Amino acid sequence: CVTKSFFLRKWVRDVWEFAKEDTNRVIFALKVGLAMLLVSLLVLIQAPFKVFGTNIIWAILTVGIMFEYTVGATFNRGFNRAVGSLLAGIFAIMVIEIAMCSGHVAEPYVIGLSIFVVGAITSFMKLWPSLAPYEYGFRVTLFTYCLIIASGYRMGNPMRTAMERLYSIAIGGLLAILVNVLICPMWAGEQLHKELVNGFNSVAESLEECVKKYLRDDGSDHPEFSKTVIDEFPDEPAYKNCRETLNAAARLDSLASSAKWEPPHGRFRHFSYPWPEYIKVAAVLRHCAYEVMALHGCLHSEIQAPYNLRITFQSEIHDAASQAAELLRSLGNNISNMKSSLHTSLLKRLHSSTGRLQSSIDLHSYLLTSTHSFYDCTAKPTDKLPNTLSLTLKDCSGPFPKQSSDAEPNPNPAVPIQAESYHEAMRKQQRRLYSWPSREVDDFEEDGGVDTDMIPHMRTLESTAALSLATFTSLLIEFVARLDHLVDAVDALAKMAKFKQESAS
Amino acid sequence: CVTKSFFLRKWVRDVWEFAKEDTNRVIFALKVGLAMLLVSLLVLIQAPFKVFGTNIIWAILTVGIMFEYTVGATFNRGFNRAVGSLLAGIFAIMVIEIAMCSGHVAEPYVIGLSIFVVGAITSFMKLWPSLAPYEYGFRVTLFTYCLIIASGYRMGNPMRTAMERLYSIAIGGLLAILVNVLICPMWAGEQLHKELVNGFNSVAESLEECVKKYLRDDGSDHPEFSKTVIDEFPDEPAYKNCRETLNAAARLDSLASSAKWEPPHGRFRHFSYPWPEYIKVAAVLRHCAYEVMALHGCLHSEIQAPYNLRITFQSEIHDAASQAAELLRSLGNNISNMKSSLHTSLLKRLHSSTGRLQSSIDLHSYLLTSTHSFYDCTAKPTDKLPNTLSLTLKDCSGPFPKQSSDAEPNPNPAVPIQAESYHEAMRKQQRRLYSWPSREVDDFEEDGGVDTDMIPHMRTLESTAALSLATFTSLLIEFVARLDHLVDAVDALAKMAKFKQESAS
C-alpha cells in the first residue's frame, strides 16, 4: 500500500510537471472539453434537437474528428472533411438518380458496383504521393458516400438525409473552428517559427559542446562507444537536441503545411507569409548540422589525436567554434525577433579566426606527421639522418612565432609558448596506443596472407591519430563554409517575410 | 483540344506506371472496394438489415476508418477502436446510471459535466508521449462516449443503443480484418524487412558512388554548391537514397510497431519475432550513414585536395571502400535471406586493406604537408635549407617502395610508380587556387584589424587543401570502424530471430 501511494504520488507529480512544462497542453484539453460540451448541448437542449433531428450526431462526430492542436491543422482537417463530404454527397445523389432510373432489379447492383468503384478509386488515389496529405479527405469521401448511399437506399429520401447530414457536419465544423480560433488559439506558424529558432540554438550549443569536449578530453575518460545504446550519449544533452533537429524535418513540414491554412495573425501579419521559406532555411541548417554530427563522430572515434597535439591548437579551434556558434545564435535571434541585420562584422571575425586556424594548422602541419618521420628515421640507423631532420624541424618551427606576431595581432600570446613547450611534452608523452578496433590486431596475426610486421603497424596508427586532428579542424572549417549558405538562406527569408531592417550589425 | 488529349494521355500513362511500379497498390485499392461492398451488403440485403437496424451504419464507418495498408496497422487501428469503444461504452453506461439517480433536474448538468471532463482528460492523455501511438484510440473513446450519452439521453434505452453499436462496430472490424488478412495480405513485417535490406544496399551504393566521384573528379567539373536547392545532387542517385535511409527512421518505427501486432506469417514463423531488433540495426546503420554523409560533404567541400594527390592513394581508398561496400551488401543479403554467416574473412580483408590505406597515408604523410615546408623554405632564401630538406624527403620516401614490397604482397604494383611519378606531377601541376568562400578574400582586404598578407594566406589554403585528403581517408577509416558495430548488431539480430546458421563465410 505504501509503494502504491508512492507510485500514485510520483504519477501525480509527473502529470503536474508535464502540464506545467507547457500550459498550452492544459488549455488544449480544456478547449476540446468545451467544444464537445457545446456540440452536445445541441442534443441535450430540446429546441435545436427538434430542428435537426437525429442527424445532429454527425456534428458530434465532426467535432471529435476535426479538433486538432493547432489552428492550421484544424482548418486543414475541416477542409478535407468539407470537400470530402461535399464530393461524396454530390456523387451519391448522382448515382442514386441513375440507380432509380435503371429499374428495381438493377438498382442494388448499380449501387453495389458504385460502392466498389468509389472504394477502389479513393484508396488508389490516396497512395499517390502528391495527394498523400489529403489522405483523410479520401477516407471521408469514401465512408460518407457509403453511408449516404446505404441509408438513402434503406430509409428513402436520400436527398434530405444528405442535406441534413451536411448541415450537421457544417455546424460541427464551425463550432470546432470557432472554439479553436477564439479561445487561446495555438498557431502552427508560431510553433514553426519557434522550432526553427530552437534548431539554430541547439546546433550552436551542440557545436560548442563538441569542441569543448574535444579540447577537454585528456584521455582519462576516453569515451566508450556503447554498442547496445548506439545513439545515446547521456553526458551530451546538446548532441541529443542536435539529432532531434536533424530528425524534425517531417514535423516541420507538417507544421508548414498547417501554417499555410492559417489567416494572418500575431506577428505574421501580411498575407501569403513565406512559410515554405522556413523549410528551406531548416534544410540548410540541417546541412550544417550534418557537419556537427561528423565532428561528434570524430570526437567519439576510436582513433584520437594525442591530447598534447589538440591542446596546441586550442585557442584557434575554440575561437572559430565559439564565433561560429555566436553567428548561429545571432541568426536565430534575428529570426526570433523578426529583424534583419547584416552580419558582416561577425562573419569577418569568424572568417579571420577560421583563417587563423588554417594558418596555424598549416604552420604546425609538420607536427601532424613528424612522429612518423622522426621515428622512421631513428628506427633506421643506416640512414644517419636524425640530426638533419631535427634541424629541419627546428628551422621550420622557428619562424612561426615571429611571423605570427608580425602578420596579425595574435589575441592569445599563450599559443606560441604552448607550441614551443609542445616539443618537451611530446618527448615526455607516453606512447599511448590508440584502440583501432581491437579485433584487427588478432586478424592480422591470424591472417597469413597479409603479414605486416606489428611495430610499423602500430606506429602507423599513431601517426594517423595525429592526422585525426586535421580531420576535426577541416570539418570545423567546412562547417564555417556552410554557414555562408545559411546566412544567405536567412537573408532570403528576411527579405520575403519583410523582417524589419536594422542597419547595425 | 490537342493539348488536352496530350495531358490526358500523359496522365493515364503516369497512373499506369504508378500502378505497375508496385502492383500491391492496385490490390490494396481493390481490397478496400471489396470490403466496402461487403459491408454495404448488410444494408442492401433485406435480411441482415432487419436484424441489425439502422445502427448497421456503424459497421460501414468502422470499415472505412479501420482499413489500413498493412495487416499490422489494421490490427492496431482495430485494437484502438475496440478498446476505445468499449471503454466509452462502459463509462457512458456508468454515467447514465448516475445521472438517472440524480433526478430529472440535475441529469443534463451531470451529463454535460461528464462530457466536458471526458473530453479534457482524453485530449490531455493523448499528448503524453508514451500514449501518443494510441492517439486514435482516445479520439474514438471521446466521440463514442459523446454519441452514446447524447443519443441515449434523447432516444432512451442507452443500454440497447450501446450494445447494438458495439455489435455493428465488431462486425465492421471483423470484416475489415478478414478481407485484409485473407486476400493478398500485406505484412508490415515483410515491408520492414525489405526496407532494412534496402537501407544496407543504399548505404553501400552511396559509399561507392562517393568514393568513385572523389577519385574521378579531376577538377574540371568542380561541383557547384547550389544554394537554392541545397539538398539536391541530381547526378548522385545513391546519395539521395542514403539520405532517405537517414530520414526513414520514423517510417521504420511505425512499421515495427505495426509488425508487433501481426501473427507469425510467411518467413517470420516463430512467435514474438524480434522486430524491435530491426530498429536497433537500423539505428547502427544510420550511425554508419552519417559517416557517408560526411564523406559526401567532403566531396562537395569548397576546399579540395589536388587531384594528383588523391590519385596517389587511389587503389588503397578504392580497395577499402569497395570491400566495405561488399561487407555491407553481404550483411544486407544475410538479413534478406535470413541466414547467419560469419564475416571473418570479409572483415579480415577489409581491415587489412584499411590498414594498408593507413600505412600508405602514413608513409606519404609528408606529401600532405610538403607543399608548405617546401615553399616555406624556398621562399626564405636566408634559411638555406632547400637542399637538406629535399634530401630528407628523398630519404624518407626512398624506403617506401622497398618496405612495402617486402612487407606485404602489394596487389597493385602501380602504386609505388604513381607515388614516384607524383613528384613530377607535383611540379607540373598548376597551383590551383581553391575557392575558400570567395567573399572571405574581400573581407580580409576590407578588414583593417586583421591584415594577413595575401600570399601566405593562399598558401595556407593550398596546404590545408592537401589535408582535406586526410579528412576524407580518416572519415572512411571511421566508417570501417563503425562497420564492426554493425556486424555485431546484425549478429545479435540473427541470434534473436534464429536465422539459419551457415558455417561458410
Side-chain angles (χ1 to χ4, degrees):
Chain A
C1 187
V2 174
T3 57
K4 208 170 161 185
S5 83
F6 170 75
F7 277 117
L8 192 74
R9 225 178 295 159
K10 187 183 173 305
W11 181 80
V12 167
R13 204 171 52 233
D14 280 355
V15 170
W16 178 251
E17 286 296 320
F18 183 71
K20 228 172 101 182
E21 198 181 294
D22 186 357
T23 45
N24 280 342
R25 286 167 180 154
V26 181
I27 292 171
F28 168 70
L30 295 179
K31 272 162 74 179
V32 175
L34 183 67
M36 287 316 262
L37 178 62
L38 286 178
V39 79
S40 300
L41 286 184
L42 293 175
V43 181
L44 296 180
I45 297 172
Q46 194 87 31
F49 185 70
K50 269 189 185 154
V51 179
F52 295 107
T54 52
N55 277 316
I56 200 69
I57 55 165
W58 292 101
I60 299 179
L61 254 181
T62 303
V63 172
I65 288 175
M66 246 182 77
F67 212 97
E68 293 274 343
Y69 194 76
T70 62
V71 175
T74 305
F75 272 115
N76 191 3
R77 274 227 142 169
F79 170 80
N80 270 306
R81 182 146 187 94
V83 171
S85 301
L86 211 64
L87 280 181
I90 292 168
F91 196 60
I93 288 165
M94 275 164 53
V95 168
I96 286 171
E97 293 294 322
I98 293 168
M100 290 208 300
C101 294
S102 61
H104 195 66
V105 181
E107 199 179 345
Y109 294 99
V110 171
I111 288 176
L113 186 72
S114 78
I115 288 174
F116 180 78
V117 169
V118 169
I121 288 180
T122 53
S123 305
F124 187 74
M125 279 171 82
K126 74 184 177 191
L127 293 178
W128 192 271
S130 62
L131 295 176
Y134 306 105
E135 195 266 344
Y136 177 69
F138 288 111
R139 218 181 260 276
V140 167
T141 307
L142 174 58
F143 70 69
T144 308
Y145 176 78
C146 290
L147 287 177
I148 293 177
I149 282 276
S151 54
Y153 178 76
R154 261 311 139 198
M155 298 155 214
N157 208 346
M159 195 66 192
R160 218 192 120 205
T161 316
M163 289 317 288
E164 271 181 355
R165 260 182 216 167
L166 284 182
Y167 279 139
S168 312
I169 289 172
I171 291 170
L174 196 70
L175 217 150
I177 286 174
L178 283 179
V179 171
N180 209 335
V181 174
L182 295 182
I183 304 169
C184 300
M186 283 163 234
W187 303 100
E190 187 78 41
Q191 267 193 22
L192 177 61
H193 192 83
K194 267 187 207 157
E195 294 230 353
L196 186 65
V197 173
N198 285 345
F200 275 86
N201 289 333
S202 71
V203 172
E205 260 167 54
S206 185
L207 175 71
E208 283 186 331
E209 182 186 76
C210 212
V211 167
K212 203 172 138 197
K213 271 211 110 183
Y214 191 73
L215 296 175
R216 193 186 55 199
D217 175 32
D218 55 353
S220 59
D221 58 340
H222 189 273
E224 269 299 319
F225 191 85
S226 164
K227 288 176 192 187
T228 43
V229 276
I230 192 121
D231 274 350
E232 299 296 329
F233 295 94
D235 53 337
E236 288 163 38
Y239 166 70
K240 211 176 136 201
N241 289 338
C242 182
R243 219 183 46 214
E244 262 163 34
T245 303
L246 276 179
N247 290 337
R251 198 171 65 245
L252 289 186
D253 280 350
S254 88
L255 276 178
S257 69
S258 291
K260 272 190 288 187
W261 288 95
E262 291 174 354
H265 59 272
R267 304 184 285 166
F268 314 105
R269 279 218 195 133
H270 62 88
F271 276 93
S272 68
Y273 192 82
W275 297 116
E277 207 60 27
Y278 276 73
I279 297 299
K280 279 187 204 161
V281 173
V284 184
L285 182 64
R286 272 205 301 282
H287 203 73
C288 294
Y290 282 133
E291 220 60 24
V292 176
M293 294 301 281
L295 280 172
H296 183 265
C298 204
L299 177 67
H300 287 272
S301 148
E302 270 95 354
I303 306 157
Q304 289 292 344
Y307 177 63
N308 291 329
L309 194 55
R310 274 180 272 167
I311 217 72
T312 312
F313 301 100
Q314 185 177 29
S315 80
E316 284 89 352
I317 292 178
H318 185 264
D319 277 7
S322 64
Q323 275 163 31
E326 197 187 335
L327 178 62
L328 269 172
R329 288 219 179 81
S330 158
L331 286 172
N333 265 335
N334 268 10
I335 294 179
S336 174
N337 302 326
M338 301 187 74
K339 283 176 186 166
S340 149
S341 63
L342 293 168
H343 297 275
T344 33
S345 83
L346 261 178
L347 263 178
K348 268 183 200 171
R349 269 168 57 204
L350 174 58
H351 283 164
S352 78
S353 53
T354 314
R356 216 148 46 224
L357 173 60
Q358 284 194 91
S359 316
S360 174
I361 285 279
D362 183 30
L363 286 164
H364 288 70
S365 58
Y366 65 93
L367 288 178
L368 300 180
T369 49
S370 62
T371 339
H372 159 65
S373 24
F374 187 73
Y375 287 119
D376 193 50
C377 296
T378 47
K380 296 177 184 300
T382 44
D383 288 339
K384 302 256 164 53
L385 267 170
N387 290 328
T388 332
L389 231 188
S390 61
L391 181 70
T392 318
L393 285 177
K394 219 184 283 162
D395 272 279
C396 285
S397 66
F400 165 62
K402 206 178 100 259
Q403 190 192 343
S404 163
S405 50
D406 279 355
E408 52 192 37
N410 197 323
N412 306 56
V415 186
I417 298 163
Q418 273 179 357
E420 280 181 324
S421 72
Y422 177 74
H423 295 290
E424 287 304 306
M426 200 75 181
R427 254 165 241 146
K428 283 178 199 156
Q429 186 200 359
Q430 297 152 306
R431 297 182 63 191
R432 278 169 61 211
L433 297 179
Y434 289 88
S435 57
W436 172 247
S438 51
R439 66 167 76 167
E440 200 200 19
V441 177
D442 311 23
D443 288 354
F444 269 104
E445 279 174 343
E446 285 162 22
D447 200 351
V450 189
D451 46 2
T452 44
D453 44 341
M454 223 48 210
I455 315 305
H457 184 60
M458 281 304 160
R459 193 153 44 85
T460 306
L461 292 179
E462 200 162 344
S463 175
T464 324
L467 281 177
S468 105
L469 181 73
T471 306
F472 191 85
T473 48
S474 72
L475 287 174
L476 186 59
I477 290 166
E478 173 67 18
F479 178 81
V480 172
R482 287 187 182 185
L483 280 187
D484 279 6
H485 300 295
L486 191 59
V487 170
D488 288 346
V490 172
D491 280 353
L493 171 63
K495 222 168 267 170
M496 290 183 75
K498 293 171 190 154
F499 284 179
K500 222 166 68 187
Q501 286 281 341
E502 267 196 358
S503 54
S505 115
Chain B
C1 187
V2 174
T3 56
K4 210 170 161 185
S5 83
F6 170 76
F7 278 117
L8 194 73
R9 226 179 294 159
K10 189 184 173 301
W11 182 79
V12 168
R13 204 171 53 233
D14 280 356
V15 170
W16 179 251
E17 286 295 321
F18 183 70
K20 230 172 101 182
E21 198 181 295
D22 186 357
T23 45
N24 281 341
R25 287 168 181 154
V26 181
I27 293 172
F28 168 69
L30 294 179
K31 274 162 73 179
V32 175
L34 183 67
M36 287 315 266
L37 178 62
L38 286 178
V39 79
S40 300
L41 286 183
L42 292 176
V43 181
L44 296 180
I45 298 171
Q46 194 86 32
F49 185 71
K50 268 190 185 153
V51 180
F52 295 107
T54 51
N55 277 316
I56 200 69
I57 56 165
W58 291 100
I60 298 179
L61 254 181
T62 303
V63 172
I65 287 175
M66 247 183 77
F67 211 97
E68 292 275 344
Y69 194 78
T70 62
V71 175
T74 305
F75 271 116
N76 191 3
R77 274 227 141 170
F79 170 82
N80 270 307
R81 182 146 187 94
V83 172
S85 301
L86 210 65
L87 279 181
I90 291 168
F91 196 62
I93 287 165
M94 275 164 51
V95 168
I96 287 171
E97 291 294 320
I98 294 168
M100 290 208 298
C101 293
S102 62
H104 194 66
V105 181
E107 198 179 346
Y109 293 99
V110 171
I111 289 176
L113 186 72
S114 78
I115 288 174
F116 179 79
V117 168
V118 170
I121 288 179
T122 53
S123 305
F124 186 74
M125 279 170 82
K126 73 185 176 189
L127 293 178
W128 193 271
S130 62
L131 295 177
Y134 307 106
E135 195 266 341
Y136 177 69
F138 288 111
R139 219 180 258 275
V140 167
T141 308
L142 174 59
F143 70 70
T144 308
Y145 176 78
C146 289
L147 286 176
I148 293 177
I149 282 276
S151 53
Y153 179 76
R154 262 310 141 198
M155 298 155 212
N157 208 346
M159 196 65 191
R160 218 193 120 205
T161 315
M163 289 317 288
E164 272 182 356
R165 265 185 211 165
L166 283 183
Y167 279 139
S168 308
I169 290 173
I171 290 170
L174 196 69
L175 217 150
I177 286 174
L178 284 180
V179 171
N180 209 333
V181 173
L182 296 182
I183 305 170
C184 300
M186 281 163 237
W187 303 100
E190 187 78 41
Q191 265 192 24
L192 177 62
H193 192 82
K194 265 187 208 156
E195 294 229 355
L196 185 65
V197 173
N198 285 346
F200 276 87
N201 289 332
S202 71
V203 172
E205 259 167 54
S206 185
L207 175 70
E208 283 186 331
E209 181 187 77
C210 213
V211 167
K212 204 172 136 197
K213 272 209 108 183
Y214 191 73
L215 296 175
R216 193 187 54 198
D217 175 30
D218 56 354
S220 60
D221 58 339
H222 189 272
E224 269 297 319
F225 191 83
S226 163
K227 289 175 191 188
T228 43
V229 276
I230 193 121
D231 274 350
E232 298 297 327
F233 295 94
D235 54 335
E236 289 163 40
Y239 167 69
K240 213 177 135 201
N241 289 339
C242 182
R243 219 184 45 215
E244 262 163 33
T245 303
L246 277 179
N247 290 337
R251 199 172 63 246
L252 288 186
D253 280 351
S254 87
L255 276 179
S257 69
S258 291
K260 271 190 288 187
W261 288 94
E262 291 174 354
H265 60 272
R267 303 185 285 166
F268 314 106
R269 284 233 184 121
H270 62 87
F271 276 92
S272 68
Y273 192 83
W275 296 116
E277 208 61 26
Y278 276 72
I279 296 300
K280 278 186 203 162
V281 173
V284 183
L285 183 64
R286 271 204 303 282
H287 204 72
C288 294
Y290 282 132
E291 220 59 25
V292 176
M293 294 300 282
L295 280 171
H296 183 265
C298 206
L299 177 67
H300 287 272
S301 147
E302 269 95 355
I303 306 158
Q304 288 293 344
Y307 178 63
N308 290 329
L309 193 55
R310 274 180 272 167
I311 216 72
T312 312
F313 302 100
Q314 184 176 30
S315 80
E316 284 88 353
I317 292 178
H318 185 264
D319 278 8
S322 64
Q323 275 163 31
E326 196 187 337
L327 178 62
L328 270 171
R329 288 218 179 81
S330 157
L331 286 172
N333 265 336
N334 268 10
I335 295 178
S336 174
N337 302 327
M338 303 187 74
K339 283 175 186 168
S340 148
S341 63
L342 293 169
H343 297 276
T344 33
S345 83
L346 262 177
L347 263 178
K348 269 182 202 171
R349 270 168 55 204
L350 174 59
H351 283 163
S352 78
S353 53
T354 313
R356 217 149 45 223
L357 173 61
Q358 284 194 91
S359 315
S360 174
I361 286 278
D362 183 30
L363 285 163
H364 288 71
S365 59
Y366 66 93
L367 288 179
L368 300 179
T369 50
S370 63
T371 338
H372 159 65
S373 24
F374 188 72
Y375 287 118
D376 193 51
C377 296
T378 47
K380 296 178 187 296
T382 44
D383 288 338
K384 300 253 162 59
L385 266 170
N387 290 327
T388 333
L389 232 186
S390 61
L391 181 70
T392 319
L393 285 176
K394 218 183 284 162
D395 272 279
C396 284
S397 67
F400 166 61
K402 207 175 100 258
Q403 190 193 345
S404 163
S405 51
D406 279 356
E408 55 192 35
N410 196 323
N412 306 56
V415 186
I417 297 163
Q418 273 178 354
E420 280 179 325
S421 73
Y422 176 75
H423 296 288
E424 286 304 307
M426 200 75 181
R427 253 163 242 147
K428 282 176 200 155
Q429 186 201 359
Q430 298 150 302
R431 296 180 65 191
R432 279 168 59 211
L433 297 179
Y434 290 87
S435 59
W436 172 248
S438 51
R439 66 167 76 168
E440 198 200 21
V441 177
D442 310 24
D443 287 355
F444 268 106
E445 278 173 346
E446 286 163 20
D447 199 351
V450 189
D451 46 3
T452 44
D453 43 342
M454 222 49 210
I455 314 306
H457 183 60
M458 280 304 159
R459 191 154 46 85
T460 307
L461 292 179
E462 199 162 344
S463 175
T464 324
L467 281 177
S468 104
L469 181 74
T471 307
F472 192 86
T473 48
S474 73
L475 287 174
L476 185 60
I477 291 166
E478 174 66 18
F479 179 81
V480 173
R482 287 187 182 184
L483 280 187
D484 279 5
H485 301 296
L486 191 60
V487 170
D488 289 346
V490 172
D491 280 353
L493 170 64
K495 221 167 269 171
M496 289 182 75
K498 292 170 190 154
F499 284 178
K500 222 167 69 188
Q501 285 281 343
E502 267 196 359
S503 54
S505 119

